[in-house]
Amino acid sequence: MRILVLANTPAHVHQYRHAVDRLERAGHDVLVLTREYACTTDLLDYFDMPYRVYGEHATEAYSKLQFARELGGQFRTIGTEAIRFGPDVVFGRGPYAAFAGTLTRTPVVLVLDDEPGDFNHTVSRPFADCILSPAVTRRDLGDAHYTFDGFKECAYLHPDVFEPNEDIREYLDVDRDEPYVLVRFNALDALHDTDIEGFRPEQRRDLIERLSESATVFVSDEGGEMDLRTLPARPYDLHPALIHDAMAEASLLVADTGTMATEAALLGTPAFRYRGTDDHEYGEFRELERAGLAEQFDEYDAVRDRSLEILADEGAAERWQERRREYVGDLVNLTDLLVDVARSRGELERLDRSTKRVLQPRSQSI
């Protein structure tokens, strides 16, 4: 079989990397089409995934004409590469995957989450043969839409998949018992981030200074704009492939970005998300809050004070790990599901009974 995967962000690479490895080891041909964005290609190289680049995600302001030209060029490259590869099934999300499947007359499997924007869903839904999403997804995308009990991050953070790197503290240069905090600042340059503001500059400084009184602070600044030389913090400068190992050992993650907060929560690390001006409701966060693994805050003072409270709580780490054991272990291993769906060429009726049991038609679950 030949499987084509559209992976446009670092999170997409993590989502598919174990499935790609297993499918290749089983003798299938896999190709990942990607774009230059953040550390996406760095991760693809690190995990030795077969890929080709179709374009880049530019963050600078474009005129409508410039944007249309760039988008047109990306679609042409995707079309050329897809036809050359000749897939039996296409995985991805949004219009790129839909276009590749339509052009090659190949079944399209979309793996979605409860993102706020409707654009990707609206454009790609008519071309999808199969849509998979977490059960917490609130929208119904039609007869081809099936849900599973878990999160898309379960493809790489499920206890059956994730193996922590025991040397991560050595790489970070922190002692065995030294508490440390990961602080993630979002670049807010994605389509669904338009008009959203996270931590303001003065809040970033205050947060770092206050957290540093209780723990070593590592800053992951997606926008790359912060100057940490005058602040009591260290840049998180390990290879991006090691971020989940660093999360798993951290005492706390504080972020104004969604994906890393979800990831930390699933690893059993207290995960606090500052919403800023983001007033969207996410089914994933609501569920993680219910499980006691994540917390969201509308006010800066609240997330700062709660962070300091957790760092002073000696029993917090064990409570969160116990919650992870009780909750995350019962979720669906998404890698297993992706591999089975790939082998079925996106035709769910061809799945065996055990795999079918983990899927629920969305129209019957709302």
Side-chain angles (χ1 to χ4, degrees), residues 202-360:
E202 68 273 16
Q203 292 172 339
R204 293 183 176 196
R205 295 184 65 89
D206 181 65
L207 180 66
I208 291 170
E209 289 172 351
R210 294 296 300 276
L211 292 177
S212 69
E213 297 171 4
S214 303
T216 299
V217 178
F218 289 95
V219 174
S220 173
D221 177 25
E222 187 179 29
E225 299 174 351
M226 285 202 70
D227 183 356
L228 299 178
R229 290 175 295 180
T230 61
L231 290 170
R234 296 159 58 183
Y236 175 82
D237 56 6
L238 298 185
H239 193 284
L242 298 174
I243 187 62
H244 303 116
D245 304 290
M247 281 188 208
E249 274 288 301
S251 299
L252 171 68
L253 177 128
V254 185
D256 54 6
T257 176
T259 297
M260 285 185 65
T262 299
E263 291 170 334
L266 292 173
L267 288 166
T269 296
F272 296 165
R273 175 177 177 261
Y274 174 53
R275 291 161 58 102
T277 60
D278 185 1
D279 59 359
H280 297 298
E281 291 293 334
Y282 299 84
E284 287 89 349
F285 282 111
R286 185 169 54 189
E287 176 63 13
L288 289 169
E289 285 183 298
R290 186 197 65 78
L293 290 167
E295 298 178 23
Q296 293 189 95
F297 302 85
D298 294 324
E299 301 294 333
Y300 166 69
D301 289 353
V303 66
R304 180 198 61 200
D305 294 347
R306 178 62 172 146
S307 298
L308 296 173
E309 178 185 344
I310 282 294
L311 290 177
D313 184 347
E314 295 182 357
E318 181 52 39
R319 287 202 310 277
W320 254 261
Q321 284 299 317
E322 180 61 28
R323 292 168 187 171
R324 178 184 187 246
R325 286 189 289 269
E326 292 178 354
Y327 177 71
V328 182
D330 291 333
L331 299 179
V332 169
N333 179 340
L334 183 56
T335 287
D336 287 344
L337 180 58
L338 292 175
V339 169
D340 289 345
V341 172
R343 288 171 172 164
S344 76
R345 291 179 168 82
E347 299 176 16
L348 300 190
E349 64 273 10
R350 298 176 59 183
L351 296 172
D352 61 37
R353 290 184 179 180
S354 62
T355 303
K356 286 180 179 178
R357 280 197 293 268
V358 307
L359 292 173
Q360 178 71 30

Side-chain angles (χ1 to χ4, degrees), residues 8 10 19 32 52 84 93 101 105 114 127-128 141 191 199 221 227 309 314 327 366:
N8 295 327
V32 177
R52 293 176 190 150
R84 180 182 296 146
R93 59 184 295 152
R105 298 182 180 181
D114 203 18
F127 305 96
L141 298 176
L191 180 64
F199 288 110
D221 177 25
D227 183 356
E309 178 185 344
E314 295 182 357
Y327 177 71
I366 59 173

Side-chain angles (χ1 to χ4, degrees), residues 90-101:
V90 176
F91 281 82
R93 59 184 295 152
Y96 292 130
F99 174 70

Side-chain angles (χ1 to χ4, degrees), residues 124-145:
S124 57
R125 170 183 169 182
F127 305 96
D129 297 87
C130 172
I131 300 173
L132 304 177
S133 76
V136 296
T137 302
R138 294 161 299 167
R139 53 176 58 86
D140 181 358
L141 298 176
D143 293 340
H145 185 188

